[in-house]
Amino acid sequence: MRSEEVKRGVERAPHRALLKALGVTDEDLDKPFIAVVNSYSEIVPGHIHLKRLADLVKLGVVSAGGVPFEVNTIAICDGIAMGHAGMHYSLPSREVIADSVELVVEAHRFDGVVLITNCDKITPGMLMAAARINIPSIVLTGGPMPSGSYKGQRIGVASMFEAVGRYKRGELTLEELKSMESAACPGAGSCNGLFTANTMACVTEALGMSLPGCATAQACSAKKERIAVETGRLAVRIVEEEIRPRDVMSEDAFRNAIAVDVALGGSTNTVLHLPAIAAEAGVKLSIDVFEEVSRSTPQLCTIVPGGSHTMEDLEEAGGIPAVLSELKSHLNLDAKAVYGTLRDSAARASVLRRDVIRPVSNPVRRHGSIAILKGTLAPEGSVIKLSGLRDENVVMEGPVRVFDGEELCMKAVMSGEIDEGDILVIRYEGPRGGPGMREMLSVTAAVSGMGLGEKVALLTDGRFSGATRGISIGHISPEAAEGGPISLLEDGDIVRISLPERRLDVLLPREELEERRKKWSWSPPGHAMKGYLKRYMNSVSSASSGAILRACVSSF
């Protein structure tokens, strides 16, 4: 055991003395030491209940013969950070989380790790750390929040972002808006739809890194508490059996995870996170694999924001084990999991609600929910979520309106300056240019709330939230701050979007683009000239490679 390095031999007497200050007994020194890495936070609704789950995990560790030590990492709520300067810090926090887990686990020579997480960047950050450290590890995701209810309808945080546009349109009074905001988020857990947090929980289970049923078990349910105890027990067993993250997170596992994502209609942010996790696991995962898997995998579910079902419905339908069972012909169920193989999960499951998980023979659509678009505007690729569209065969061509940043575009939307047929370009919001590749749910939700939905297209080198609907194309690479073609656009330039062809093109002669490139320059935004954002900006890679940090840091 790795912990022998801190607890064995005469020279380790000082170390044992410090451990005994924590309450460790002589008998405990013969047991595996398990880090329980908790991302509990009082500012994140998805994490407010994680203290209780950590206590149950520790109970499981002790009952299986291990010694648990609870340690912590940070968490940012994307919903609270959305639409203002705070969102610059969300994606960059993923790297801090991965680094902090690595530091505390490696420094103390733990034998195994339980990673307790729930929200957008925390789950991928912890999975990156697990792959990097590569000691026996298991993930416990905290579970979804129940839906709110307003006038007999289920609502959630996405409903509130759209309600802002409805209020501006005159469909809601200020009193109604206030009533909705008091009802939308009734308690602990990750937001009720298949946004990035719940998508990543489902992907984690599909990767084989969490227990069957973990992703959809409600945050404050007895089922989630039982899974927490069992997760603690299993953490000790995987140490004894030496099951490591890289044994589980193989190329087949990542393909399985993508297949489950596109079958569910999940968030496009997986196109950022899975390549970053794969890189830590030593697996090459290009964005082209997402297109390949999505082309061959049917979409089986229509979950908020791409439909009317919520995470409660997915749980009632049998959760991810039921999805694995239904999707088995498109998966490698022999892929290893922390508890055995994915086949062990699928074999015990059946679909309990066919309105929620459709059969492969009668899917929502014959292919998956994510499409990768390339072309002269996006040579390295861009991403759109097809499950957020009523018509997936959109072909749209027209002049663009260019905004250098989210705030300018949001101002135009809220001022009523946007018309049907507009193609809005929001640039300098990429990993480097933002910096931090902000999610722009506020813009897309306001557009939907004002009734423009699929009548307007939004293009960005930044990100659109997992709660986004409509013709929203993100991750355009190379980004504007790297001098990508999106940086050369001017108001009135003609852009063509063709989803059937998977193309995104600017209809300008190459010579004209080259002339503009000679005049192009970029200066980092003022808020990025100090602290962590400056370091991040100088080292982050393209969205097409997962926005990971480059090994060699350059400076301006």
Side-chain angles (χ1 to χ4, degrees):
M1 292 188 294
R2 291 190 348 151
S3 60
E4 299 288 306
E5 296 177 39
V6 299
K7 62 187 182 184
R8 288 286 173 254
V10 172
E11 69 279 8
R12 295 296 184 244
H15 305 66
R16 292 192 294 274
L18 290 167
L19 289 168
K20 288 179 179 180
L22 304 173
V24 173
T25 67
D26 286 330
E27 292 75 17
D28 290 336
L29 294 174
D30 294 325
K31 301 173 183 177
F33 282 8
I34 307 297
V36 179
V37 184
N38 194 354
S39 54
Y40 163 79
S41 170
E42 290 187 346
I43 191 61
V44 185
H47 293 232
I48 191 68
H49 63 305
L50 297 186
K51 269 188 178 180
R52 168 67 175 158
L53 293 183
D55 288 341
L56 293 167
V57 167
K58 290 185 284 185
L59 181 66
V61 170
V62 171
S63 70
V67 183
F69 298 84
E70 186 176 349
V71 296
N72 298 94
T73 189
I74 63 168
I76 289 175
C77 176
D78 275 20
I80 296 174
M82 190 76 66
H84 53 79
M87 183 48 74
H88 290 293
Y89 294 87
S90 177
L91 181 60
S93 74
R94 186 186 70 182
E95 276 35 59
V96 174
I97 291 160
D99 290 349
S100 66
V101 174
E102 176 193 4
L103 289 168
V104 72
V105 170
E106 292 286 44
H108 297 101
R109 312 312 291 158
F110 286 109
D111 300 305
V113 186
V114 178
L115 300 158
I116 305 179
T117 173
N118 211 25
C119 289
D120 298 46
K121 310 308 166 297
I122 300 90
T123 301
M126 286 192 172
L127 285 168
M128 289 167 67
R132 183 188 303 171
I133 301 165
N134 200 35
I135 67 169
S137 305
I138 184 171
V139 178
L140 174 69
T141 50
M145 177 190 296
S147 298
S149 179
Y150 180 71
K151 294 185 177 181
Q153 299 293 317
R154 284 181 176 176
I155 61 171
V157 70
S159 312
M160 292 312 306
F161 279 98
E162 294 189 6
V164 173
R166 293 177 61 199
Y167 169 71
K168 294 293 289 186
R169 199 180 180 194
E171 292 183 2
L172 290 174
T173 66
L174 193 58
E175 291 73 19
E176 287 173 322
L177 186 67
K178 183 75 171 178
S179 295
M180 284 184 70
E181 76 179 54
S182 298
C185 300
S190 48
C191 299
N192 69 331
L194 204 59
F195 315 130
T196 307
N198 286 321
T199 299
M200 284 306 306
C202 294
V203 161
T204 300
E205 189 174 328
L207 275 172
M209 286 297 294
S210 62
L211 282 170
C214 185
T216 58
Q218 293 285 294
C220 295
S221 65
K223 178 179 178 181
K224 179 63 73 177
E225 294 189 347
R226 292 193 297 271
I227 290 173
V229 174
E230 184 54 35
T231 297
R233 291 188 186 123
L234 186 56
V236 178
R237 196 181 87 195
I238 62 176
V239 168
E240 294 169 348
E241 297 179 2
E242 296 187 356
I243 298 171
R244 300 174 185 271
R246 292 189 190 181
D247 299 329
V248 174
M249 289 192 279
S250 63
E251 182 177 350
D252 284 339
F254 283 103
R255 285 180 169 270
N256 286 340
I258 295 169
V260 168
D261 179 19
V262 300
L264 290 170
S267 169
T268 55
N269 280 322
T270 54
V271 182
L272 275 180
H273 298 320
L274 285 176
I277 299 163
E280 297 285 3
V283 175
K284 184 174 176 57
L285 187 67
S286 75
I287 61 170
D288 296 326
V289 176
F290 286 82
E291 175 68 19
E292 176 193 335
V293 173
S294 192
R295 285 279 193 183
S296 61
T297 306
Q299 183 183 337
L300 306 181
C301 303
T302 52
I303 299 170
V304 171
S308 59
H309 295 128
T310 64
M311 293 303 292
E312 294 106 313
D313 296 312
L314 183 57
E315 167 69 356
E316 290 175 8
I320 299 307
V323 174
L324 297 176
S325 177
E326 182 59 37
L327 204 61
K328 57 183 177 290
S329 60
H330 296 269
L331 303 172
N332 179 358
L333 291 179
D334 292 322
K336 195 166 188 175
V338 287
Y339 52 82
T341 66
L342 287 193
R343 193 175 302 281
D344 298 326
S345 176
R348 296 194 295 267
S350 59
V351 177
L352 303 178
R353 283 185 56 183
R354 277 297 179 192
D355 63 316
V356 179
I357 303 174
R358 298 267 289 271
V360 168
S361 59
N362 182 31
V364 175
R365 51 170 54 88
R366 59 182 176 78
H367 52 75
S369 62
I370 287 177
I372 304 298
L373 280 58
K374 293 187 176 182
T376 56
L377 187 56
E380 294 178 5
S382 61
V383 183
I384 186 170
K385 183 166 69 172
L386 300 177
S387 56
L389 294 169
R390 287 188 296 270
D391 179 10
E392 63 184 65
N393 293 309
V394 170
V395 176
M396 187 174 183
E397 182 177 313
V400 297
R401 297 186 59 186
V402 181
F403 300 91
D404 288 348
E406 176 188 9
E407 286 81 4
L408 292 174
C409 184
M410 187 64 173
K411 181 179 179 181
V413 171
M414 298 306 286
S415 299
E417 299 173 21
I418 305 304
D419 298 316
E420 183 176 332
D422 280 349
I423 298 177
L424 311 180
V425 175
I426 308 173
R427 66 187 178 189
Y428 296 106
E429 290 286 3
R432 188 183 186 209
M437 204 179 183
R438 290 190 289 178
E439 287 185 343
M440 286 175 276
L441 176 57
S442 296
V443 173
T444 57
V447 167
S448 294
M450 296 175 77
L452 291 171
E454 295 179 28
K455 300 172 185 176
V456 167
L458 294 112
L459 315 180
T460 186
D461 54 2
R463 295 180 295 140
F464 292 120
S465 163
T468 294
R469 295 187 287 165
I471 309 170
S472 302
I473 302 172
H475 304 203
I476 292 175
S477 300
E479 64 172 292
E482 297 282 359
I486 191 173
S487 70
L488 308 177
L489 291 181
E490 298 176 359
D491 284 347
D493 288 342
I494 304 300
V495 163
R496 186 172 190 272
I497 303 164
S498 176
L499 298 190
E501 297 175 283
R502 301 295 194 263
R503 295 286 303 183
L504 180 61
D505 293 292
V506 54
L507 305 185
L508 284 173
R510 182 181 299 177
E511 295 77 15
E512 172 64 20
L513 288 173
E514 288 305 316
E515 282 301 311
R516 292 184 189 182
R517 188 177 302 281
K518 293 175 184 176
K519 303 173 185 176
W520 174 82
S521 64
W522 176 71
S523 297
H527 60 261
M529 295 312 293
K530 62 180 181 179
Y532 182 69
L533 286 184
K534 182 177 182 180
R535 298 197 300 274
Y536 181 84
M537 177 182 61
N538 285 343
S539 58
V540 70
S541 71
S542 169
S544 62
S545 60
I548 59 178
L549 299 186
R550 299 183 180 99
C552 298
V553 178
S554 61
S555 60
F556 290 100

